[in-house]
């Protein structure tokens, strides 16, 4: 079964299993398991719009699953270092990248990796646990970031109703623009600091 077929099957189960399936999907996605969690939230929002699902139940399930998945990832990083990807591998490189980001930006990295750079999220969870990052600080940034992720995608589903393709395209374009803007801002910030440190002629 292809990834597209799995996605179509999962979307077809949303009106049947609703919040339970959504919570499981967001949980798994935060452990780096490739499931269409964002699309599932958009679909669930569409069913909220049609009156088939309840908004509070949907958002609670998606949010709870995501936070629980992040917490499991953090604990795995803290307790099971030997199970983490080895250095030199692609996943090992992601861990190293996450560690470097945590050392520089801390809570901001955790917050942004929940929704803006979500592909890095599961690796930030592991890296935070591995690095000895404070659990309370991690949790506060995690909860805030997941709240943005869940409300954004469920909200798109409510706004666009059954037009899932348009909602998914808008989400992808918006996140791409925000990521590009964040990168441009970061580069400008680096240039400004570099200019301040440069010796004057």
């Amino acid at each position: 079964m292809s990834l597209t077929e799995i996605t179509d099957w999962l979307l077809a189960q949303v009106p049947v299993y609703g919040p339970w399936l959504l919570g499981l999907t967001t949980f798994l996605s935060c452990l780096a398991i490739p499931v269409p969690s964002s699309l599932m939230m958009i679909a669930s929002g569409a069913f909220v719009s049609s009156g088939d699902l309840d908004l509070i139940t949907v958002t609670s399930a998606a949010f709870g699953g995501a936070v629980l998945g992040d917490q499991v990832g953090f604990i795995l990083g803290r307790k099971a270092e030997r199970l983490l990807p080895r250095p030199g591998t692609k996943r090992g490189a992601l861990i190293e990248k996450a560690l470097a980001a945590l050392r520089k930006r801390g809570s901001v990295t955790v917050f942004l990796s929940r929704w803006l750079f979500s592909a890095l999220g599961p690796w930030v969870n592991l890296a935070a646990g591995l690095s000895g990052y404070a659990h309370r600080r991690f949790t506060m940034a995690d909860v805030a970031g997941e709240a943005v992720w869940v409300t954004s995608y469920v909200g798109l589903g409510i706004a666009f109703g059954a037009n899932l393709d348009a909602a998914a395209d808008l989400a992808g374009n918006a996140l791409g623009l925000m990521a590009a803007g964040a990168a441009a801002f970061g580069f400008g910030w680096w240039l400004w600091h570099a200019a301040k440190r440069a010796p004057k002629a």
Side-chain angles (χ1 to χ4, degrees):
M1 184 179 288
S2 68
L3 186 59
T4 301
E5 290 173 329
I6 293 173
T7 299
D8 291 342
W9 182 84
L10 285 171
L11 289 173
Q13 307 311 306
V14 171
V16 181
Y17 298 104
W20 293 103
L21 180 61
L22 179 60
L24 177 62
T25 304
T26 56
F27 173 80
L28 294 175
S29 71
C30 293
L31 294 173
I33 297 173
V35 289
S37 52
S38 296
L39 194 55
M40 292 284 286
M41 284 192 284
I42 292 173
S44 297
F47 283 109
V48 168
S49 179
S50 67
D52 294 306
L53 292 176
D54 175 68
L55 175 61
I56 300 299
T57 307
V58 163
T59 53
S60 297
F63 178 76
V67 171
L68 182 59
D70 292 333
Q71 293 295 318
V72 170
F74 180 92
I75 293 168
L76 284 174
R78 180 71 48 93
K79 302 290 186 181
E81 182 178 348
R82 61 187 177 83
L83 298 178
L84 295 178
R86 295 180 180 179
T89 64
K90 184 178 180 181
R91 291 186 172 186
L94 286 170
I95 288 288
E96 289 301 320
K97 184 177 180 181
L99 282 168
L102 278 170
R103 284 191 287 266
K104 290 182 179 179
R105 298 289 181 266
S107 296
V108 174
T109 296
V110 177
F111 174 73
L112 293 179
S113 65
R114 307 304 91 175
W115 58 280
L116 185 56
F117 305 109
S118 55
L120 196 58
W123 310 109
V124 170
N125 298 339
L126 291 169
L130 176 64
S131 66
Y133 193 76
H135 190 201
R136 182 178 179 182
R137 290 180 62 194
F138 172 84
T139 300
M140 290 175 64
D142 175 44
V143 167
E146 294 299 10
V148 173
W149 187 48
V150 170
T151 55
S152 297
Y153 279 87
V154 173
L156 279 171
I158 293 172
F160 281 82
N163 197 344
L164 299 183
D165 289 337
D169 287 343
L170 177 62
N173 292 337
L175 285 177
L177 285 172
M178 284 189 288
F185 176 81
F187 184 62
W189 183 266
W190 177 83
L191 284 176
W192 182 67
H193 278 277
K196 284 181 65 178
R197 291 195 300 268
K200 294 183 179 180

